[in-house]
Amino acid sequence: MIRPHPNYNDGVKFHKSCNKRYLPFFKDCIGELDGTHIKARLPQGQEIPYIDRKGYSTQNILVIVDFNMCFTFAWAGWEGTAHDNRIFGEALHRPELNFPRPLGNKYYLVDAKYSHIKGYMLLYKGDNVSYHSAEFHHGATR
């Protein structure tokens, strides 16, 4: 398990909350929260709960990254069939995980799979909005 630096909410030292390029748009944002699937090799007979929607045995891992692209939290081990919001809800309700909660007006960006609650802001999904995913798939991020 990866746990955050004690000052993760402060925007100081190694985990700056924003660089000047993004500051007007993400002033109080301290990172992004998302789930990712990692292929898993399991003992025969235990694969079924881990088979994801693409037909592979995977683990669903909840991760948080900051604007420096550093992992500040990771929780692995969930079966591939587990929904991202279910894992998120469990992380919020299990004190032993020391899940990094945003303080004050700070927040994490989350996608549509997650609950829109204080401290976790969904990305805007307007009619004519593109997040340039095609550019990222081809490596053209500038």
Side-chain angles (χ1 to χ4, degrees), residues 1-130:
M1 167 145 351
I2 297 173
R3 293 205 172 105
H5 186 275
N7 296 332
Y8 74 94
N9 264 301
D10 297 343
V12 297
K13 295 204 178 200
F14 301 109
H15 299 285
K16 292 182 181 177
S17 59
C18 287
N19 69 30
K20 291 178 184 169
R21 177 179 175 191
Y22 303 113
L23 190 59
F25 308 106
F26 301 108
K27 179 178 173 269
D28 291 323
C29 184
I30 55 174
E32 183 191 5
L33 180 145
D34 204 358
T36 187
H37 287 263
I38 304 295
K39 286 188 180 178
R41 179 175 256 175
L42 298 152
Q44 189 172 9
Q46 295 181 12
E47 305 97 337
I48 300 293
Y50 290 85
I51 296 175
D52 68 3
R53 62 185 174 83
K54 295 181 181 178
Y56 299 108
S57 294
T58 64
Q59 285 189 354
N60 195 345
I61 302 173
L62 177 67
V63 297
I64 298 176
V65 295
D66 64 13
F67 277 99
N68 294 323
M69 301 304 285
C70 294
F71 288 95
T72 59
F73 180 83
W75 188 22
W78 282 84
E79 59 274 0
T81 56
H83 192 276
D84 290 349
N85 201 43
R86 175 179 166 217
I87 300 168
F88 175 57
E90 283 289 320
L92 289 174
H93 292 97
R94 293 184 55 180
E96 70 271 14
L97 294 177
N98 292 325
F99 186 76
R101 296 171 188 266
L103 301 175
N105 290 328
K106 304 287 184 178
Y107 63 90
Y108 290 111
L109 292 174
V110 297
D111 64 23
K113 296 175 285 204
Y114 296 95
S115 302
H116 184 77
I117 57 177
K118 182 172 174 41
Y120 306 91
M121 185 172 74
L122 294 170
L123 296 170
Y124 177 71
K125 297 285 186 179
D127 292 336
N128 296 320
V129 176
S130 170

